[in-house]
Amino acid sequence: MRRKILKAISQSERVHARIRASCSYKKVAFLHLPKCGGTSIAASIARAIGANSSGYVDPIRTRKLAQLYMEGCEQGEGSKLLFTIRRALFFDYFTEGRPYIYGHFPIIKECLLNSQGYEFVTLLREPTQRFISQFKYYL
């Protein structure tokens, strides 16, 4: 039994090393759509490519910034200003060439067309399940 466990661990380490070796040279932009399991995926991608969080477009921080500049508005969620802030952060990280950009941000068509070595990733979820999850989140 112990031999099987050690063999499984060894195989797992080899697979992880292969993934890391094949991905470490790439730059990744992960567009995280809300309520689609993106937090877990973001962490997995970061581990696989050995990246830190310096390219994170933080949804909470950007929402607070939008609220700060929108006097008399309690929620910046869904506002044009919020999307402008997130888009600007994404573009700043993209032009700097940060190895891993992730979070809630609108994509810029020109960046897709001229990817500069980035792999763009997103995760979609069945719409009805996503709606129910979002609805329960706000209850």
Side-chain angles (χ1 to χ4, degrees):
M1 180 70 149
R2 183 174 181 217
R3 178 177 259 172
K4 287 182 181 181
I5 292 171
L6 291 173
K7 184 177 179 181
I9 291 171
S10 177
Q11 287 174 339
S12 174
E13 288 173 350
R14 283 195 301 266
V15 169
H16 182 45
R18 283 187 199 153
I19 291 171
R20 189 170 184 167
S22 68
C23 294
S24 63
Y25 65 92
K26 294 180 183 175
K27 297 186 286 186
V28 176
F30 173 56
L31 172 57
H32 175 187
L33 298 177
K35 310 313 294 174
C36 287
T39 303
S40 300
I41 300 299
S44 296
I45 293 171
R47 275 194 312 274
I49 66 172
N52 63 27
S53 62
S54 68
Y56 181 43
V57 179
D58 186 337
I60 295 170
R61 185 168 182 234
T62 54
R63 190 179 315 115
K64 286 180 180 178
L65 282 171
Q67 288 171 348
L68 178 69
Y69 291 107
M70 295 173 61
E71 292 181 24
C73 182
E74 292 200 13
Q75 282 199 346
E77 195 64 44
S79 70
K80 186 175 181 178
L81 177 60
L82 176 64
F83 286 104
T84 301
I85 291 168
R86 290 177 178 175
R87 183 181 170 141
L89 276 173
F90 163 74
F91 190 68
D92 186 45
Y93 296 159
F94 181 85
T95 55
E96 286 178 1
R98 294 195 185 186
Y100 186 37
I101 306 168
Y102 66 102
H104 299 218
F105 54 86
I107 199 67
I108 299 172
K109 181 180 175 182
E110 292 77 16
C111 295
L112 284 173
L113 296 174
N114 183 13
S115 67
Q116 298 182 20
Y118 277 94
E119 296 288 332
F120 288 88
V121 179
T122 193
L123 179 69
L124 302 176
R125 184 175 179 188
E126 195 275 323
T128 304
Q129 290 178 355
R130 184 171 177 264
F131 171 78
I132 292 168
S133 179
Q134 187 78 21
F135 182 77
K136 287 180 179 177
Y137 178 78
Y138 283 108
L139 282 180

